[in-house]
Amino acid sequence: MSAHPAPVAGAGAETPQHVAIIMDGNRRWAQARGLPVALGHRAGADAARRAIEAAIRGGVSWLTLFAFSSENWSRPADEVQELTLLLRHYLRAEVNQLTKEGVRLRVIGDRTRFGEETQKAMLAAEEVTAGGQRLNLTMAISYGARAEILAAARAVAAAAQHGELDPAQLDEAAFERHLFTAGMPDPDLIIRTSGEQRISNFLLWQAAYAELIFQPVLWPDFGIEDFNAALAAYAARERRFGARTG
């Protein structure tokens, strides 16, 4: 069962409670300008800051950013190192501003693949921003939805094996408590930039009824106007949640 209030079939969409973004296009942005890929990722970090500002202005309560996928570990070692350094810098440099703006940060994904210093930076940022109530910001880092679902299935199996859970009584709500996103509402709207039209192993369970919007803009060029355009497109849709109409 979703953490959302029960949706009303046929209800028009207004402001989404939870927006998730697949931030795609950093490499192509850099390559189109003859720049090192690292500069594309740095420009992408600036776009993330604009997305946070746009979410706050737009009245969105939850924002999830797909920052680093589990598949990204297969990229060249120097690029992975740059992404890790940038992540650590972002966590440390932005934490005061996030706290000032009332943003609570959470990190989901497999943290164990990062070094101790980066893991400490993640935990510290979460602790410092824990009191934020204006926007719930989730960074999906070293994240893959299939791995998330598999880990949840293993946790459920272990609980059943130890007599802590009756498999016959397992429902969606109980299963969701084992996901990285436990306690979070499902995304109402998922945005992907760069023109690609797929969700690439992102929030597969949680995206069951999300509206999908694909924008041609490369992520480093993403601005408040792009975020607002996605909100406007969402508001114009009629969300049926699988119900029959007409």
Side-chain angles (χ1 to χ4, degrees):
M1 180 179 289
S2 169
H4 279 300
V8 178
E14 296 181 357
T15 300
Q17 179 185 19
H18 183 179
V19 175
I21 306 179
I22 301 171
M23 307 184 297
D24 190 23
N26 291 350
R27 299 175 93 188
R28 275 172 281 171
W29 184 90
Q31 290 165 356
R33 290 161 175 75
L35 299 173
V37 171
L39 293 184
H41 292 310
R42 293 178 190 177
D46 293 336
R49 157 50 53 191
R50 293 193 295 271
I52 294 168
E53 180 183 348
I56 292 173
R57 289 188 183 184
V60 173
S61 300
W62 295 78
L63 176 67
T64 297
L65 302 178
F66 197 9
F68 189 98
S69 74
S70 54
E71 289 80 10
N72 286 159
W73 291 106
S74 64
R75 291 187 175 184
D78 58 342
E79 183 178 352
V80 171
Q81 182 180 27
E82 173 63 28
L83 280 167
T84 302
L85 291 173
L86 180 62
L87 168 63
R88 198 157 61 231
H89 171 77
Y90 180 88
L91 289 170
R92 291 170 174 167
E94 293 290 325
V95 68
N96 289 336
Q97 186 64 27
L98 293 176
T99 302
K100 182 179 178 180
E101 294 180 357
V103 178
R104 179 180 182 180
L105 175 67
R106 293 176 176 85
V107 176
I108 61 172
D110 182 6
R111 305 185 191 206
T112 64
R113 299 196 65 175
F114 292 97
E116 183 179 355
E117 190 175 356
T118 302
Q119 291 184 51
K120 286 182 177 179
M122 292 178 186
L123 182 59
E126 289 178 320
E127 290 177 345
V128 171
T129 63
Q133 298 183 0
R134 196 175 182 190
L135 175 69
N136 291 282
L137 172 64
T138 304
M139 302 291 288
I141 299 171
S142 188
Y143 173 86
R146 287 184 173 182
E148 175 188 29
I149 294 169
L150 182 58
R154 286 174 175 156
V156 167
Q161 186 176 27
H162 291 94
E164 300 167 358
L165 182 149
D166 179 359
Q169 300 300 315
L170 180 67
D171 58 13
E172 291 183 12
F175 186 81
E176 286 180 352
R177 286 195 286 272
H178 296 279
L179 296 173
F180 294 146
T181 54
M184 293 172 53
D186 290 341
D188 303 295
L189 169 62
I190 295 178
I191 303 168
R192 181 173 185 147
T193 60
S194 86
E196 301 291 346
Q197 298 188 22
R198 57 183 181 273
I199 59 175
S200 297
N201 200 20
F202 181 52
L203 299 178
L204 296 180
W205 174 282
Q206 300 87 342
Y209 290 103
E211 297 292 324
L212 306 178
I213 291 179
F214 303 102
Q215 296 180 321
V217 60
L218 297 177
W219 178 247
D221 291 327
F222 186 88
I224 291 177
E225 64 281 359
D226 299 298
F227 191 92
N228 289 341
L231 293 188
Y234 173 88
R237 296 186 180 182
E238 184 178 2
R239 304 189 74 196
R240 298 187 178 90
F241 300 92
R244 297 177 62 182
T245 61

